[in-house]
Amino acid sequence: MTEQTEKNTGPETRNGVVLEVDGITVIGRPSDVEIISDVSLTVNRGEILGLVGESGSGKTTLGLSLLAHLKRATEIVRGRVRVGEHDLAALSERQVRRLRGRAVAYIPQSPASALNPALRLGVQLSEALHDASLGRDQVMERVREVLREVALPDDDAFLRRYPHQLSGGQQQRVAIAMAFVGRPDLIVMDEPTTGLDVTTQAHVLETIRSMTRDYGTAGVYISHDMAVVADLADDVAVMYRGELVEHGRTTEVLSDPRHEYTRRLLMAVPLLRTSGHEEPEARTDEPLLRIGDLSAGYGRTRVLEGIDLSVSAGECVALLGESGSGKTTLSRSVAGLHHQFSGEMLFDGSPLATSSYRRTADQRRRIQYVFQNPYEALNPRKRVREQILGPYRHLVGRPDSPDRVVAEALERAALPASYADRFPEQLSGGERQRVCIARAVATRPDLLVCDEITSALDVSVQAEIVKLLRSLQDEGMALLFVTHNIALVSNIADRVAILNKGEIVEYGPVGTVMSSPEHEYTRALIADTPDFELSFPGAPERLGMDAESDEVREV
Amino acid sequence: MTRLIVVRLFFGALTLWAVSLVVFAATQALPGDAAQLILGRDATPERLAALRDQLNLDQPVAVQYLQWLQGILQGDLGTSFSNRLPVAEYLADPIRSSMTLMGLSALVATPIALFVGAFSALRRDRGFDHASSMGTLVVASIPEFVIGILAILLLGPGGLGLFPSVYARDGGPEQWVLPVLTLALAVAPPIVRMMRATMIEVLESEYVQQARLKGMSERTVLWRHAAPNAIGPVAQVVALQLAWLAGGVVAIEFLFNFPGIGKILMDAIENRDVPLIQAVVLLIAGIYILVNLIADVIGLAANPKVRVANR
């Protein structure tokens, strides 16, 4: 590990190679389990490597080990991390500290939590430039320069601001500026656009791209989002269970994935479909849910204005919008969880009270809700069986055969009946969300409100959940599918309502909206969504709706 | 922020008023006749009646309360039953002594406790952390007067003989050592534990990780990035502890025969000296509210969102 000289690579072949990782292995203490095993890769000057993998694949651990930073109870046992001329894994804490920010810098996933809330931006930016040879004026001059480069104001008033006074996109620009201020050779980015809406994401990605090119910096972009990586990266490396299973030029990996896992991963990604939709049949019967001129708010703040929407039996209507657009407020109003709304809301011809307390038991039974985060939506102290039977007893009554109710619900959610005795902590994220769905469908509802139910899940799991929803829909259930993911909408919905700042700006059959969007906002959404083509032989129908996606689950 | 402070001040005054009600009701509920107690067993009925009239004991309770409250608002705390001095005058010296004792204890305990807590968090699960965690647990589980007795046994004339165990009017500054030490020990453990817990949480945060990834030294990480974010929650506990001092001082003053409000309160209860009891209890409550108010202000000032939004 202390060996600093390389035998096989002379200086001329190393030209342009900024990062060279050689056989790095990180273990967890005290279990000695390998979190990442024997990973080797290189990145050239001015290029970006996309590091792709699902949660738990070790991609974040690898990213942090590139800065020789280790989370508690982990340890680098083998391997070299060469950045420029230095092997970070072999240096002392103090030597590494001197290189951070100057040789290698980091852009965090969530700038909202990675910027110190108690410190002004000027302090946080200038301290990142810890070069003793620079005077205070030079430091501030450099800080202002890099702020201009990321298209932020560079005046004193801005430098005196605190992080909470910025928008999410501005915070991420500050984080980018903070990484580039020391002109590092390598920048590690850990899903830096996850919390941003697509338009902001597109701007941030453009900034990252131009900055790495202009500075000649090598970039490692960690992400679970294949579409973003395909858009941004020159090279792709795929992580699976702590190992690097595929590494190559992006175009080659996309057109000819070598590893089975890469294939599955690519096939699970929902791709934006702008054509080939079937026209939904014109419906003349009374819709199951009809919302007319609804407005809602919190106290004096208006969140929704003039909403008209209807959902028919067996139909999937998507509610698409960015965070803050009011989509969750609308779905909560439908479920009776949000009371401060006015306007018409008819369910099967009869009006729904604003509060779920004043709705009839049958109305409550027929509208069920699945929440965004399956890690928080299940009571950790109750078995799956109890979670499913609870609402059933409350809304339907004491079942003759509770076992049958549970088994049927689990079966509809594609889970084995043996799961009834498990606790939530014994389930994976995807299985938890299935239990949430089983709990919702146990009472045989007619309308299922799904609030961003796939956003906390990995893409392959997401594909399965979507497939499950399809089958429920085929059984005649209506879905109100709330999401910010336009690619997902283009694959699952019959009709889509696009929500922007509390108003529906476009509403119609998904084929029409995707192929010829009329509103400027819709057009921008479609344009800013990163997308890629799958061209390898046997590339599936998009979203893996075919038989092959069954295999994904075994992965 | 000014508005928030004004609101808090208002609630502080409201609490003080509620306390005055409780104090008055409690002293009314004390058994026995104050006039009888003052004049002793062999008082004549005429003298008793005259005194009751003088003390307004014959008036309805509500009227007595209003008169008392009016007096307090004008700065008149009444006259002590037992020694016929105005309460304010009688309390002036003890208040000064007690305040000094409490101030010294707070001054010793708070910085040390904060430092020990922060250092424990940094050395989490290592020797220092285990030692401080055990130590604070043991000290926190012992009542403060037992700590005082142990301190006397160890360091007082019976033990190493370093410091006097009883306060004397003409004694030197060394007689402050044991009372201050005892109070500081009694006050510190929760502050240490809270500081440790808060710092651990803050040190695990992403902005601290980001500071480390920027190449900041551990010292900068700890004091510039972590500490300011820990102040808010810890200030609340510090305030609670310092406010506790105002009450905890009673037993300690008694133990060391220290001439402060605590000792006065004990004597006053024994003598059924109602105006004195009322004044001292109200004073302690006032200190309690004031210290908490200061903690709230520090907590608000430590939060840039509040600080900036209300500029």
Side-chain angles (χ1 to χ4, degrees), chain A residues 26 60-72 74 76 88 93 96 100 106, chain B residues 208-213 218:
Chain A
V26 175
T60 293
T61 305
L62 177 58
L64 289 174
S65 69
L66 300 184
L67 293 101
H69 179 82
L70 292 157
K71 297 233 171 193
R72 275 176 70 78
T74 60
I76 298 180
L88 261 62
E93 182 79 15
V96 167
R100 284 184 189 155
Y106 182 78
Chain B
V208 164
Q209 171 174 304
Q210 181 68 19
R212 290 196 168 124
L213 292 177
E218 278 304 298

PDB file of all heavy atoms in Angstrom, chain A residues 26 60-72 74 76 88 93 96 100 106, chain B residues 208-213 218:
ATOM      1  N   VAL A  26     -12.565  -2.041   0.556  1.00  0.00           N
ATOM      2  CA  VAL A  26     -12.972  -1.431   1.819  1.00  0.00           C
ATOM      3  C   VAL A  26     -13.800  -2.449   2.590  1.00  0.00           C
ATOM      4  O   VAL A  26     -14.708  -3.072   2.030  1.00  0.00           O
ATOM      5  CB  VAL A  26     -13.809  -0.150   1.587  1.00  0.00           C
ATOM      6  CG1 VAL A  26     -14.318   0.404   2.906  1.00  0.00           C
ATOM      7  CG2 VAL A  26     -12.984   0.893   0.861  1.00  0.00           C
ATOM      8  N   THR A  60     -21.320   4.901  -3.105  1.00  0.00           N
ATOM      9  CA  THR A  60     -20.971   6.052  -2.272  1.00  0.00           C
ATOM     10  C   THR A  60     -19.694   5.784  -1.477  1.00  0.00           C
ATOM     11  O   THR A  60     -18.838   6.661  -1.352  1.00  0.00           O
ATOM     12  CB  THR A  60     -22.135   6.400  -1.326  1.00  0.00           C
ATOM     13  OG1 THR A  60     -23.222   6.861  -2.110  1.00  0.00           O
ATOM     14  CG2 THR A  60     -21.738   7.481  -0.345  1.00  0.00           C
ATOM     15  N   THR A  61     -19.542   4.549  -0.967  1.00  0.00           N
ATOM     16  CA  THR A  61     -18.311   4.194  -0.251  1.00  0.00           C
ATOM     17  C   THR A  61     -17.104   4.351  -1.162  1.00  0.00           C
ATOM     18  O   THR A  61     -16.074   4.900  -0.766  1.00  0.00           O
ATOM     19  CB  THR A  61     -18.398   2.736   0.244  1.00  0.00           C
ATOM     20  OG1 THR A  61     -19.582   2.591   1.023  1.00  0.00           O
ATOM     21  CG2 THR A  61     -17.188   2.378   1.082  1.00  0.00           C
ATOM     22  N   LEU A  62     -17.247   3.917  -2.412  1.00  0.00           N
ATOM     23  CA  LEU A  62     -16.155   4.069  -3.369  1.00  0.00           C
ATOM     24  C   LEU A  62     -15.867   5.544  -3.612  1.00  0.00           C
ATOM     25  O   LEU A  62     -14.717   5.980  -3.598  1.00  0.00           O
ATOM     26  CB  LEU A  62     -16.500   3.364  -4.684  1.00  0.00           C
ATOM     27  CG  LEU A  62     -15.472   3.498  -5.805  1.00  0.00           C
ATOM     28  CD1 LEU A  62     -14.122   2.960  -5.375  1.00  0.00           C
ATOM     29  CD2 LEU A  62     -15.938   2.797  -7.070  1.00  0.00           C
ATOM     30  N   GLY A  63     -16.944   6.325  -3.808  1.00  0.00           N
ATOM     31  CA  GLY A  63     -16.772   7.758  -4.058  1.00  0.00           C
ATOM     32  C   GLY A  63     -16.015   8.434  -2.933  1.00  0.00           C
ATOM     33  O   GLY A  63     -15.102   9.230  -3.167  1.00  0.00           O
ATOM     34  N   LEU A  64     -16.376   8.108  -1.690  1.00  0.00           N
ATOM     35  CA  LEU A  64     -15.707   8.742  -0.552  1.00  0.00           C
ATOM     36  C   LEU A  64     -14.273   8.247  -0.406  1.00  0.00           C
ATOM     37  O   LEU A  64     -13.399   8.997   0.033  1.00  0.00           O
ATOM     38  CB  LEU A  64     -16.500   8.483   0.736  1.00  0.00           C
ATOM     39  CG  LEU A  64     -17.827   9.234   0.836  1.00  0.00           C
ATOM     40  CD1 LEU A  64     -18.598   8.799   2.062  1.00  0.00           C
ATOM     41  CD2 LEU A  64     -17.597  10.735   0.876  1.00  0.00           C
ATOM     42  N   SER A  65     -14.028   6.991  -0.770  1.00  0.00           N
ATOM     43  CA  SER A  65     -12.661   6.490  -0.624  1.00  0.00           C
ATOM     44  C   SER A  65     -11.728   7.163  -1.631  1.00  0.00           C
ATOM     45  O   SER A  65     -10.515   7.165  -1.451  1.00  0.00           O
ATOM     46  CB  SER A  65     -12.622   4.967  -0.776  1.00  0.00           C
ATOM     47  OG  SER A  65     -12.911   4.611  -2.099  1.00  0.00           O
ATOM     48  N   LEU A  66     -12.300   7.775  -2.675  1.00  0.00           N
ATOM     49  CA  LEU A  66     -11.466   8.531  -3.610  1.00  0.00           C
ATOM     50  C   LEU A  66     -10.906   9.780  -2.942  1.00  0.00           C
ATOM     51  O   LEU A  66      -9.939  10.380  -3.414  1.00  0.00           O
ATOM     52  CB  LEU A  66     -12.272   8.932  -4.856  1.00  0.00           C
ATOM     53  CG  LEU A  66     -12.852   7.779  -5.673  1.00  0.00           C
ATOM     54  CD1 LEU A  66     -13.544   8.298  -6.911  1.00  0.00           C
ATOM     55  CD2 LEU A  66     -11.771   6.790  -6.061  1.00  0.00           C
ATOM     56  N   LEU A  67     -11.533  10.219  -1.850  1.00  0.00           N
ATOM     57  CA  LEU A  67     -10.990  11.320  -1.062  1.00  0.00           C
ATOM     58  C   LEU A  67     -10.345  10.798   0.209  1.00  0.00           C
ATOM     59  O   LEU A  67     -10.085  11.556   1.131  1.00  0.00           O
ATOM     60  CB  LEU A  67     -12.087  12.315  -0.675  1.00  0.00           C
ATOM     61  CG  LEU A  67     -12.739  13.107  -1.800  1.00  0.00           C
ATOM     62  CD1 LEU A  67     -14.074  12.516  -2.163  1.00  0.00           C
ATOM     63  CD2 LEU A  67     -12.878  14.560  -1.408  1.00  0.00           C
ATOM     64  N   ALA A  68     -10.113   9.470   0.254  1.00  0.00           N
ATOM     65  CA  ALA A  68      -9.558   8.816   1.437  1.00  0.00           C
ATOM     66  C   ALA A  68     -10.393   9.135   2.662  1.00  0.00           C
ATOM     67  O   ALA A  68      -9.892   9.263   3.774  1.00  0.00           O
ATOM     68  CB  ALA A  68      -8.105   9.210   1.676  1.00  0.00           C
ATOM     69  N   HIS A  69     -11.716   9.306   2.459  1.00  0.00           N
ATOM     70  CA  HIS A  69     -12.606   9.535   3.593  1.00  0.00           C
ATOM     71  C   HIS A  69     -13.395   8.254   3.824  1.00  0.00           C
ATOM     72  O   HIS A  69     -13.927   7.663   2.899  1.00  0.00           O
ATOM     73  CB  HIS A  69     -13.567  10.675   3.291  1.00  0.00           C
ATOM     74  CG  HIS A  69     -14.532  10.958   4.403  1.00  0.00           C
ATOM     75  ND1 HIS A  69     -14.194  11.727   5.496  1.00  0.00           N
ATOM     76  CD2 HIS A  69     -15.806  10.573   4.607  1.00  0.00           C
ATOM     77  CE1 HIS A  69     -15.221  11.793   6.312  1.00  0.00           C
ATOM     78  NE2 HIS A  69     -16.220  11.099   5.796  1.00  0.00           N
ATOM     79  N   LEU A  70     -13.457   7.850   5.072  1.00  0.00           N
ATOM     80  CA  LEU A  70     -14.163   6.611   5.388  1.00  0.00           C
ATOM     81  C   LEU A  70     -15.209   6.883   6.444  1.00  0.00           C
ATOM     82  O   LEU A  70     -14.956   7.607   7.409  1.00  0.00           O
ATOM     83  CB  LEU A  70     -13.167   5.571   5.911  1.00  0.00           C
ATOM     84  CG  LEU A  70     -12.195   5.103   4.823  1.00  0.00           C
ATOM     85  CD1 LEU A  70     -10.938   4.550   5.423  1.00  0.00           C
ATOM     86  CD2 LEU A  70     -12.863   4.086   3.926  1.00  0.00           C
ATOM     87  N   LYS A  71     -16.372   6.316   6.251  1.00  0.00           N
ATOM     88  CA  LYS A  71     -17.406   6.461   7.275  1.00  0.00           C
ATOM     89  C   LYS A  71     -16.986   5.669   8.500  1.00  0.00           C
ATOM     90  O   LYS A  71     -16.074   4.852   8.442  1.00  0.00           O
ATOM     91  CB  LYS A  71     -18.734   5.922   6.728  1.00  0.00           C
ATOM     92  CG  LYS A  71     -19.215   6.707   5.536  1.00  0.00           C
ATOM     93  CD  LYS A  71     -20.622   7.181   5.734  1.00  0.00           C
ATOM     94  CE  LYS A  71     -20.980   8.150   4.622  1.00  0.00           C
ATOM     95  NZ  LYS A  71     -22.162   8.897   4.825  1.00  0.00           N
ATOM     96  N   ARG A  72     -17.685   5.910   9.592  1.00  0.00           N
ATOM     97  CA  ARG A  72     -17.369   5.197  10.827  1.00  0.00           C
ATOM     98  C   ARG A  72     -17.339   3.694  10.598  1.00  0.00           C
ATOM     99  O   ARG A  72     -18.165   3.152   9.877  1.00  0.00           O
ATOM    100  CB  ARG A  72     -18.445   5.488  11.871  1.00  0.00           C
ATOM    101  CG  ARG A  72     -18.225   6.748  12.643  1.00  0.00           C
ATOM    102  CD  ARG A  72     -19.386   6.989  13.577  1.00  0.00           C
ATOM    103  NE  ARG A  72     -19.412   6.027  14.681  1.00  0.00           N
ATOM    104  CZ  ARG A  72     -18.622   6.105  15.734  1.00  0.00           C
ATOM    105  NH1 ARG A  72     -17.737   7.065  15.823  1.00  0.00           N
ATOM    106  NH2 ARG A  72     -18.709   5.229  16.701  1.00  0.00           N
ATOM    107  N   THR A  74     -15.399   1.738   8.952  1.00  0.00           N
ATOM    108  CA  THR A  74     -14.980   1.147   7.683  1.00  0.00           C
ATOM    109  C   THR A  74     -13.487   1.426   7.510  1.00  0.00           C
ATOM    110  O   THR A  74     -12.946   2.338   8.128  1.00  0.00           O
ATOM    111  CB  THR A  74     -15.734   1.717   6.469  1.00  0.00           C
ATOM    112  OG1 THR A  74     -15.485   3.119   6.395  1.00  0.00           O
ATOM    113  CG2 THR A  74     -17.211   1.458   6.560  1.00  0.00           C
ATOM    114  N   ILE A  76      -9.987   1.026   4.603  1.00  0.00           N
ATOM    115  CA  ILE A  76      -9.383   0.593   3.341  1.00  0.00           C
ATOM    116  C   ILE A  76      -8.311  -0.427   3.688  1.00  0.00           C
ATOM    117  O   ILE A  76      -7.391  -0.131   4.437  1.00  0.00           O
ATOM    118  CB  ILE A  76      -8.735   1.769   2.587  1.00  0.00           C
ATOM    119  CG1 ILE A  76      -9.790   2.814   2.206  1.00  0.00           C
ATOM    120  CG2 ILE A  76      -8.012   1.276   1.334  1.00  0.00           C
ATOM    121  CD1 ILE A  76      -9.238   3.999   1.463  1.00  0.00           C
ATOM    122  N   LEU A  88      -3.500   8.636  -2.358  1.00  0.00           N
ATOM    123  CA  LEU A  88      -4.220   9.089  -1.171  1.00  0.00           C
ATOM    124  C   LEU A  88      -4.344   8.007  -0.105  1.00  0.00           C
ATOM    125  O   LEU A  88      -4.341   8.287   1.088  1.00  0.00           O
ATOM    126  CB  LEU A  88      -5.622   9.586  -1.561  1.00  0.00           C
ATOM    127  CG  LEU A  88      -5.760  11.103  -1.704  1.00  0.00           C
ATOM    128  CD1 LEU A  88      -4.854  11.616  -2.798  1.00  0.00           C
ATOM    129  CD2 LEU A  88      -7.196  11.476  -1.996  1.00  0.00           C
ATOM    130  N   GLU A  93      -3.281  11.198   7.595  1.00  0.00           N
ATOM    131  CA  GLU A  93      -4.465  12.035   7.723  1.00  0.00           C
ATOM    132  C   GLU A  93      -4.144  13.494   7.372  1.00  0.00           C
ATOM    133  O   GLU A  93      -4.859  14.152   6.626  1.00  0.00           O
ATOM    134  CB  GLU A  93      -4.973  11.932   9.164  1.00  0.00           C
ATOM    135  CG  GLU A  93      -6.234  12.707   9.454  1.00  0.00           C
ATOM    136  CD  GLU A  93      -7.472  11.982   8.959  1.00  0.00           C
ATOM    137  OE1 GLU A  93      -7.378  10.773   8.659  1.00  0.00           O
ATOM    138  OE2 GLU A  93      -8.503  12.625   8.869  1.00  0.00           O
ATOM    139  N   VAL A  96      -3.400  13.998   3.656  1.00  0.00           N
ATOM    140  CA  VAL A  96      -4.638  13.907   2.877  1.00  0.00           C
ATOM    141  C   VAL A  96      -5.428  15.197   3.004  1.00  0.00           C
ATOM    142  O   VAL A  96      -5.936  15.732   2.021  1.00  0.00           O
ATOM    143  CB  VAL A  96      -5.498  12.712   3.358  1.00  0.00           C
ATOM    144  CG1 VAL A  96      -6.895  12.816   2.787  1.00  0.00           C
ATOM    145  CG2 VAL A  96      -4.863  11.406   2.943  1.00  0.00           C
ATOM    146  N   ARG A 100      -7.134  17.600   0.048  1.00  0.00           N
ATOM    147  CA  ARG A 100      -8.577  17.756  -0.167  1.00  0.00           C
ATOM    148  C   ARG A 100      -8.883  19.211  -0.495  1.00  0.00           C
ATOM    149  O   ARG A 100      -8.341  20.114   0.114  1.00  0.00           O
ATOM    150  CB  ARG A 100      -9.343  17.370   1.095  1.00  0.00           C
ATOM    151  CG  ARG A 100      -9.420  15.870   1.287  1.00  0.00           C
ATOM    152  CD  ARG A 100     -10.260  15.550   2.478  1.00  0.00           C
ATOM    153  NE  ARG A 100     -10.163  14.136   2.793  1.00  0.00           N
ATOM    154  CZ  ARG A 100     -10.372  13.640   4.011  1.00  0.00           C
ATOM    155  NH1 ARG A 100     -10.684  14.448   5.008  1.00  0.00           N
ATOM    156  NH2 ARG A 100     -10.269  12.363   4.215  1.00  0.00           N
ATOM    157  N   TYR A 106     -15.291  17.460  -3.494  1.00  0.00           N
ATOM    158  CA  TYR A 106     -16.493  16.639  -3.388  1.00  0.00           C
ATOM    159  C   TYR A 106     -17.725  17.520  -3.525  1.00  0.00           C
ATOM    160  O   TYR A 106     -17.812  18.593  -2.924  1.00  0.00           O
ATOM    161  CB  TYR A 106     -16.473  15.960  -2.028  1.00  0.00           C
ATOM    162  CG  TYR A 106     -17.611  15.016  -1.743  1.00  0.00           C
ATOM    163  CD1 TYR A 106     -17.621  13.738  -2.273  1.00  0.00           C
ATOM    164  CD2 TYR A 106     -18.659  15.397  -0.918  1.00  0.00           C
ATOM    165  CE1 TYR A 106     -18.651  12.856  -1.992  1.00  0.00           C
ATOM    166  CE2 TYR A 106     -19.699  14.524  -0.633  1.00  0.00           C
ATOM    167  CZ  TYR A 106     -19.677  13.254  -1.170  1.00  0.00           C
ATOM    168  OH  TYR A 106     -20.695  12.377  -0.884  1.00  0.00           O
TER     169      TYR A 106
ATOM    170  N   VAL B 208     -20.777  18.600   8.338  1.00  0.00           N
ATOM    171  CA  VAL B 208     -19.488  18.332   8.979  1.00  0.00           C
ATOM    172  C   VAL B 208     -18.648  17.423   8.087  1.00  0.00           C
ATOM    173  O   VAL B 208     -17.451  17.635   7.906  1.00  0.00           O
ATOM    174  CB  VAL B 208     -19.688  17.727  10.381  1.00  0.00           C
ATOM    175  CG1 VAL B 208     -18.404  17.100  10.880  1.00  0.00           C
ATOM    176  CG2 VAL B 208     -20.156  18.801  11.342  1.00  0.00           C
ATOM    177  N   GLN B 209     -19.289  16.419   7.497  1.00  0.00           N
ATOM    178  CA  GLN B 209     -18.557  15.579   6.538  1.00  0.00           C
ATOM    179  C   GLN B 209     -18.015  16.436   5.399  1.00  0.00           C
ATOM    180  O   GLN B 209     -16.868  16.281   4.985  1.00  0.00           O
ATOM    181  CB  GLN B 209     -19.477  14.489   5.978  1.00  0.00           C
ATOM    182  CG  GLN B 209     -18.838  13.733   4.820  1.00  0.00           C
ATOM    183  CD  GLN B 209     -19.676  12.565   4.351  1.00  0.00           C
ATOM    184  OE1 GLN B 209     -20.019  11.688   5.112  1.00  0.00           O
ATOM    185  NE2 GLN B 209     -20.004  12.547   3.075  1.00  0.00           N
ATOM    186  N   GLN B 210     -18.866  17.353   4.914  1.00  0.00           N
ATOM    187  CA  GLN B 210     -18.439  18.218   3.821  1.00  0.00           C
ATOM    188  C   GLN B 210     -17.238  19.060   4.242  1.00  0.00           C
ATOM    189  O   GLN B 210     -16.302  19.247   3.470  1.00  0.00           O
ATOM    190  CB  GLN B 210     -19.611  19.111   3.383  1.00  0.00           C
ATOM    191  CG  GLN B 210     -19.297  20.054   2.236  1.00  0.00           C
ATOM    192  CD  GLN B 210     -19.072  19.318   0.937  1.00  0.00           C
ATOM    193  OE1 GLN B 210     -19.477  18.174   0.772  1.00  0.00           O
ATOM    194  NE2 GLN B 210     -18.391  19.966   0.007  1.00  0.00           N
ATOM    195  N   ALA B 211     -17.248  19.572   5.479  1.00  0.00           N
ATOM    196  CA  ALA B 211     -16.122  20.372   5.971  1.00  0.00           C
ATOM    197  C   ALA B 211     -14.851  19.529   5.981  1.00  0.00           C
ATOM    198  O   ALA B 211     -13.775  19.995   5.605  1.00  0.00           O
ATOM    199  CB  ALA B 211     -16.421  20.911   7.361  1.00  0.00           C
ATOM    200  N   ARG B 212     -14.973  18.270   6.415  1.00  0.00           N
ATOM    201  CA  ARG B 212     -13.800  17.393   6.417  1.00  0.00           C
ATOM    202  C   ARG B 212     -13.324  17.141   4.999  1.00  0.00           C
ATOM    203  O   ARG B 212     -12.135  17.111   4.724  1.00  0.00           O
ATOM    204  CB  ARG B 212     -14.145  16.065   7.089  1.00  0.00           C
ATOM    205  CG  ARG B 212     -14.362  16.218   8.576  1.00  0.00           C
ATOM    206  CD  ARG B 212     -14.313  14.862   9.275  1.00  0.00           C
ATOM    207  NE  ARG B 212     -14.246  15.059  10.709  1.00  0.00           N
ATOM    208  CZ  ARG B 212     -15.127  14.539  11.574  1.00  0.00           C
ATOM    209  NH1 ARG B 212     -16.098  13.766  11.142  1.00  0.00           N
ATOM    210  NH2 ARG B 212     -15.009  14.794  12.863  1.00  0.00           N
ATOM    211  N   LEU B 213     -14.294  16.957   4.074  1.00  0.00           N
ATOM    212  CA  LEU B 213     -13.913  16.686   2.687  1.00  0.00           C
ATOM    213  C   LEU B 213     -13.325  17.926   2.020  1.00  0.00           C
ATOM    214  O   LEU B 213     -12.691  17.832   0.979  1.00  0.00           O
ATOM    215  CB  LEU B 213     -15.132  16.182   1.896  1.00  0.00           C
ATOM    216  CG  LEU B 213     -15.625  14.794   2.311  1.00  0.00           C
ATOM    217  CD1 LEU B 213     -16.853  14.407   1.530  1.00  0.00           C
ATOM    218  CD2 LEU B 213     -14.529  13.757   2.120  1.00  0.00           C
ATOM    219  N   GLU B 218      -9.365  19.234  12.153  1.00  0.00           N
ATOM    220  CA  GLU B 218     -10.370  18.792  13.132  1.00  0.00           C
ATOM    221  C   GLU B 218     -10.784  19.936  14.050  1.00  0.00           C
ATOM    222  O   GLU B 218     -11.927  20.038  14.450  1.00  0.00           O
ATOM    223  CB  GLU B 218      -9.828  17.622  13.950  1.00  0.00           C
ATOM    224  CG  GLU B 218      -9.954  16.282  13.265  1.00  0.00           C
ATOM    225  CD  GLU B 218     -11.387  15.948  12.860  1.00  0.00           C
ATOM    226  OE1 GLU B 218     -12.247  15.844  13.749  1.00  0.00           O
ATOM    227  OE2 GLU B 218     -11.665  15.800  11.653  1.00  0.00           O
TER     228      GLU B 218
END
